[in-house]
Amino acid sequence: MAKKLRYGLIGCGGCGVGKHLAAYAKYADDVELYAVYDFEPAKAAAAAEKYGVPHVFDTYEAMLADPKLDVVSVVTPNALHAPITIAALRAGKHVHVEKPIALNADEARAIVAAKDAAGTLVMVALNNRFTEVSQFIKRYVDDGHLGEIYHARCGWRRRRGIPGRGGWFTTKALSGGGPVIDLGVHFFDLTLFFMGFPAPVSVSASTYCKFANAPSGGTGTFAAADAAGTFDVEDFAAGFAKLATGASVAFEFSWASNIEREVNYLELLGTRGGLSMYNGELRLFGEVGGALTDITPHVRNTSGWGDNETRHFIACIRKRRQPMAPPEDAVKMMQIIDGIYASAESGREVRMDAVPA
Ligand SMILES: NC(=O)c1ccc[n+]([C@@H]2O[C@H](COP(=O)([O-])OP(=O)(O)OC[C@H]3O[C@@H](n4cnc5c(N)ncnc54)[C@H](O)[C@@H]3O)[C@@H](O)[C@H]2O)c1
């Protein structure tokens, strides 16, 4: 049997431990949990104890210098994704980096360049691509059932769901932005993934921050202005993007808004058929024998939070295959995100070739 991959986790917070460590621990035939590191030593120690990880490092540089380590997850605040991923690639490691890949397209391009130079693999932790429903949709679209997809809608709207209010999520220098970069990166990505990831051409967007710092506008859970911590990112965004294929995508993302309930969704409009997925419920729309049809496929979702993606990445490393969530797609996603923020700031449509480098 092939040698086990020695695995290390950088960033032992909610997602690092709850998704990455938990998922890699499930594949004990292939993976040896080898090392952990967190900026806060107590978090690394707790993760090591919970999962029986033998090595707790004091710095990520020391961890990456260990030649026994094969693969790392980077699950830190977003601003550290690019520098740590690039350092890991230069140290010859495979990298499973959380979404968003980086703060912007330039950083994402630097990751692709470092990966190409290193010859190791990078996979972005886009777990929504790896659900059974998503895999079904991808096959269904690729088999041509929708015809030409000319328009899509996607969104993830929360009524009340600001993560780590006042902490790194709401501090632009550490997160890169609000729900656009946190939630949008999941469902915009998924929509483009199904559409074959055409290059973006232009984007027009508005962003708002109406809850966090509202001196008098907030009600209920938002009545008290957040005294502690920073909140300099949007809490809602909406807009419209055009793609190189001529197709368009309308989108909206919120951490907080006065709507009935939280929903994540996408709709694909094709010349032969369409589909929608609302909170994971898939419906297919078409015509049979001159009658309109609405089909509900029985696709069970058993992917777990990170199980399918982790199993896939382990297989990619073993077989030296490019992963299904490559950093090259994430460069295009970050171009759109850069464009959303640039458009919101300028009040104009932004063409991708005009997004500031
Ligand atoms: N794919 C998903 O479903 C999903 C869900 C949640 C979070 N995430 C992503 O995971 C990442 C972490 O989010 P989280 O919710 O776990 O946040 P978190 O705040 O719970 O964890 C972040 C961890 O990083 C540590 N850290 C800070 N600076 C560090 C440094 N220099 N080196 C090493 N560790 C450092 C913190 O101490 C903390 O333990 C983010 O990029 C987020 O977007 C993805």
Side-chain angles (χ1 to χ4, degrees):
M1 197 188 133
K3 167 181 114 37
K4 287 189 185 185
L5 296 171
R6 292 205 179 91
Y7 170 78
L9 171 65
I10 300 176
C12 304
C15 183
V17 177
K19 174 181 168 184
H20 289 255
L21 210 45
Y24 279 95
K26 288 181 185 152
Y27 302 109
D29 286 349
D30 279 306
V31 176
E32 177 186 336
L33 300 182
Y34 182 75
V36 288
Y37 165 69
D38 193 284
F39 184 66
E40 293 183 31
K43 288 192 176 176
E49 165 138 21
K50 181 168 181 194
Y51 282 93
V53 185
H55 303 282
V56 180
F57 282 89
D58 294 332
T59 65
Y60 73 80
E61 290 90 341
M63 180 167 153
L64 295 175
D66 187 328
K68 293 198 182 107
L69 193 63
D70 299 300
V71 50
V72 294
S73 291
V74 177
V75 201
T76 58
N78 304 343
L80 295 156
H81 289 185
I84 296 179
T85 297
I86 290 169
L89 290 167
R90 288 185 179 149
K93 315 303 180 195
H94 303 288
V95 184
H96 189 173
V97 56
E98 258 307 327
K99 47 55 61 174
I101 187 169
L103 292 183
N104 52 50
D106 277 350
E107 286 189 358
R109 283 189 203 97
I111 288 175
V112 171
K115 176 211 55 147
D116 290 344
T120 47
L121 300 181
V122 174
M123 186 175 82
V124 189
L126 293 160
N127 38 285
N128 289 289
R129 287 189 182 200
F130 291 85
T131 64
E132 283 78 3
V133 171
S134 292
Q135 289 300 300
F136 172 86
I137 294 175
K138 183 71 178 141
R139 282 197 305 277
Y140 188 75
V141 169
D142 287 351
D143 286 348
H145 293 288
L146 298 193
E148 177 202 345
I149 301 172
Y150 54 91
H151 182 70
R153 293 178 61 216
C154 64
W156 188 334
R157 299 187 301 157
R158 286 186 183 155
R159 181 165 177 169
R160 297 289 185 269
I162 297 175
R165 223 171 149 219
W168 73 261
F169 271 101
T170 61
T171 304
K172 188 154 177 98
L174 293 174
S175 62
V180 167
I181 202 164
D182 181 41
L183 307 178
V185 86
H186 274 305
F187 271 71
F188 214 135
D189 171 80
L190 202 51
T191 305
L192 295 174
F193 174 59
F194 295 145
M195 295 170 86
F197 237 105
V201 170
S202 67
V203 66
S204 176
S206 295
T207 62
Y208 305 86
C209 185
K210 295 293 183 190
F211 285 80
N213 301 313
S216 58
T219 56
T221 46
F222 291 107
D226 202 29
T230 306
F231 204 123
D232 60 357
V233 297
E234 80 283 358
D235 54 34
F236 179 87
F240 192 80
K242 294 182 185 171
L243 308 172
T245 51
S248 49
V249 183
F251 58 88
E252 47 180 8
F253 298 102
S254 75
W255 274 343
S257 49
N258 285 320
I259 55 171
E260 186 177 0
R261 66 174 72 91
E262 175 166 351
V263 61
N264 58 49
Y265 68 91
L266 62 86
E267 293 183 0
L268 303 177
L269 277 60
T271 48
R272 292 183 61 194
L275 64 80
S276 71
M277 183 173 73
Y278 278 77
N279 289 338
E281 296 291 322
L282 174 62
R283 303 272 281 162
L284 310 175
F285 308 113
E287 276 185 43
V288 172
L292 298 178
T293 55
D294 305 347
I295 297 173
T296 306
H298 289 223
V299 188
R300 283 195 321 135
N301 248 340
T302 56
S303 57
W305 192 8
D307 298 359
N308 283 5
E309 93 189 50
T310 299
R311 198 172 56 241
H312 171 79
F313 194 43
I314 293 166
C316 288
I317 295 170
R318 286 268 185 243
K319 295 174 184 160
R320 286 287 165 155
R321 278 200 205 132
Q322 287 307 313
M324 200 179 71
E328 287 81 358
D329 286 356
V331 170
K332 290 185 232 173
M333 189 65 246
M334 294 314 301
Q335 280 183 293
I336 293 177
I337 290 176
D338 290 352
I340 290 171
Y341 289 130
S343 171
E345 201 175 321
S346 67
R348 295 172 188 277
E349 182 183 69
V350 168
R351 294 193 60 84
M352 263 50 245
D353 49 20
V355 172

